[in-house]
Amino acid sequence: LLIFIDDWHCADDLSRRALRALIAIAKDKSVLIVLATRELELSESDTMGVTHYLEPFNLDDSARAISSIFKQPLELGVTTEIYGRSGGYPLFIEELCQSVLAKQHHDSDLVLTEVPATLHGLIEARVKRLSQAHANLVRIAAVIGNIIPQWLFEQMVGYRLSDELIADLAHQDLLFIAETEGVMRFKHGLTRDVVYQSITIKERQNLHLQVAEIIAAKAKKQGG
């Protein structure tokens, strides 16, 4: 049995206690538990078994990733600038490339002067480039969470999502059909976080209330 838990840095105390209990139960069983996290507490690193640190891409790795996004080889200067700005971090590379593609220019001056300097800024800029209709969909999805049941999403927006619309959101590199049927997901948890933080407190409260009412109504209907 393989148990994979992503974004472990977001785990609360109850989740950490549950994992410790699970490790104790599975100690002599054929179970592999894999955690992905941005950082690991020292107390956990002593008890979690083997820790593997994923290093950033080097220039060659970055060049291959950049070429695959642009669908063509780029001048070494452009590739080097993107690599230098990103530090070799794959998500940062993706967002830099998306920003350059959006402007339809491939020169190093554009990368240096017209593209936001931070990953947060790059994601914000990409969301701002969306149409109002697409931006509303992404905000609603962000309130639901990283993993989005399609039935709940459709009830929130008030209509069924067409395959074309879902494909369009995927083309924007934001929302994708998940591995589980009837579920969508953000490509990256950080993208969802940035979108969520861009929503005003009042709008968040209203959207969370709508989500809660829809879930409660469904539970009541199933129970009754």
Side-chain angles (χ1 to χ4, degrees):
L1 176 65
L2 170 65
I3 300 174
F4 174 71
I5 305 174
D6 200 4
D7 291 329
W8 183 247
H9 48 272
C10 297
D12 57 14
D13 183 60
L14 182 59
S15 299
R16 295 178 187 280
R17 282 188 283 155
L19 180 63
R20 286 195 292 270
L22 179 60
I23 291 172
I25 294 171
K27 186 175 181 180
D28 299 319
K29 307 293 191 300
S30 298
V31 178
L32 176 63
I33 301 173
V34 179
L35 306 181
T37 182
R38 295 178 194 164
E39 53 192 26
L40 194 62
E41 295 181 4
L42 290 176
S43 59
E44 291 181 325
S45 62
D46 294 336
T47 60
M48 288 298 190
V50 180
T51 302
H52 294 282
Y53 293 95
L54 299 181
E55 299 295 334
F57 285 175
N58 58 30
L59 179 57
D60 289 340
D61 294 332
S62 299
R64 284 193 291 272
I66 293 165
S67 295
S68 70
I69 294 171
F70 280 93
K71 310 298 183 187
Q72 62 183 15
L74 297 180
E75 293 180 4
L76 181 60
V78 178
T79 299
T80 302
E81 292 293 346
I82 293 176
Y83 170 68
R85 285 280 295 275
S86 69
Y89 288 95
L91 177 55
F92 209 160
I93 290 172
E94 285 185 24
E95 292 299 333
L96 281 167
C97 291
Q98 291 292 345
S99 290
V100 175
L101 281 169
K103 296 177 182 296
Q104 298 183 332
H105 293 291
H106 297 163
D107 60 84
S108 57
D109 289 338
L110 173 66
V111 175
L112 284 171
T113 62
E114 297 186 32
V115 173
T118 66
L119 182 55
H120 189 285
L122 286 165
I123 296 172
E124 273 191 333
R126 183 150 58 86
V127 173
K128 286 179 181 178
R129 292 194 296 268
L130 295 174
S131 67
Q132 187 62 47
H134 283 124
N136 288 337
L137 288 174
V138 172
R139 283 197 291 270
I140 290 171
V143 169
I144 296 174
N146 276 329
I147 304 299
I148 306 140
Q150 193 165 326
W151 71 268
L152 177 57
F153 195 21
E154 290 177 341
Q155 288 201 34
M156 284 289 294
V157 301
Y159 56 85
R160 291 186 63 83
L161 298 174
S162 66
D163 292 341
E164 182 179 348
L165 181 57
I166 294 173
D168 198 22
L169 292 171
H171 180 70
Q172 300 285 350
D173 214 28
L174 291 166
L175 293 174
F176 296 81
I177 296 296
E179 293 77 8
T180 305
E181 185 177 355
V183 174
M184 301 180 69
R185 62 174 176 82
F186 277 91
K187 183 174 182 180
H188 297 287
L190 185 59
T191 302
R192 182 259 174 181
D193 293 345
V194 172
V195 175
Y196 186 81
Q197 291 163 13
S198 71
I199 306 171
T200 64
I201 295 294
K202 185 174 182 180
E203 186 180 1
R204 278 189 220 171
Q205 290 173 336
N206 289 335
L207 290 172
H208 277 297
L209 180 60
Q210 291 178 48
V211 170
E213 288 174 342
I214 290 171
I215 293 173
K218 182 175 183 179
K220 184 177 180 181
K221 183 177 180 180
Q222 290 176 336

